[in-house]
Amino acid sequence: MSSTSYTYLLITSRSGSLIYHLSLSPPSSSPALTTNDYLRIGSTLHSLKAITSQCSPVPGDGGMRTVDFGEGRMRVMQTETGMMFVLAARGGGAQDQTMAHCLTDIYAAWADWVVKNPFWEVDMPARGSRFGEEVKAICQRH
């Protein structure tokens, strides 16, 4: 088992609005974030992703993929439709490839549990505990 400890997941719509967030760590192990904190982080990361993709010297490059900080890392995955999935991890075992695989599995769960829900509309916040339970299970496996 790796020493990676996933802390949170953010999902933003193609317009940059936060449509889903989930805390993945116990409340005692990391600072509690409010909904406004998640909104600010999601909006900022969406803007940074757009700026880095435009400033990249490589044409067609997607821009920012990882953000390293102190004892952790954030991994960013942007879908073909413009949605952005951000997974934050803490610990020395936060391997980029492992986080990328985890995000791919979370994206598949998003398609199964949210997109296939007949009551969910594109770019609207996602509700429902089944997706959150699946995300936690995926993070446990990775």
Side-chain angles (χ1 to χ4, degrees), residues 38-97:
Y38 284 114
L39 287 167
R40 277 194 300 274
I41 293 168
S43 171
T44 301
L45 289 173
H46 182 80
S47 299
L48 283 173
K49 177 80 170 160
I51 291 168
T52 57
S53 65
Q54 290 178 2
C55 294
S56 174
V58 179
D61 182 41
M64 172 179 71
R65 288 187 189 85
T66 60
V67 176
D68 293 321
F69 55 91
E71 295 281 327
R73 166 176 285 173
M74 278 189 266
R75 178 73 161 115
V76 179
M77 180 183 85
Q78 188 164 9
T79 67
E80 293 295 320
T81 59
M83 290 179 56
M84 191 171 73
F85 288 69
V86 179
L87 184 63
R90 195 178 32 176
Q95 298 297 319
D96 190 50
Q97 203 64 334

Side-chain angles (χ1 to χ4, degrees), residues 1-7 66-75 87-102 139-142:
M1 180 127 212
S2 129
S3 61
T4 301
S5 172
Y6 294 111
T7 54
T66 60
V67 176
D68 293 321
F69 55 91
E71 295 281 327
R73 166 176 285 173
M74 278 189 266
R75 178 73 161 115
L87 184 63
R90 195 178 32 176
Q95 298 297 319
D96 190 50
Q97 203 64 334
T98 303
M99 292 179 77
H101 289 301
C102 188
C139 289
Q140 288 294 321
R141 287 195 303 264
H142 291 278

Side-chain angles (χ1 to χ4, degrees), residues 3-19:
S3 61
T4 301
S5 172
Y6 294 111
T7 54
Y8 60 83
L9 170 72
L10 300 173
I11 302 174
T12 64
S13 69
R14 60 183 165 217
S15 64
S17 55
L18 184 69
I19 58 175

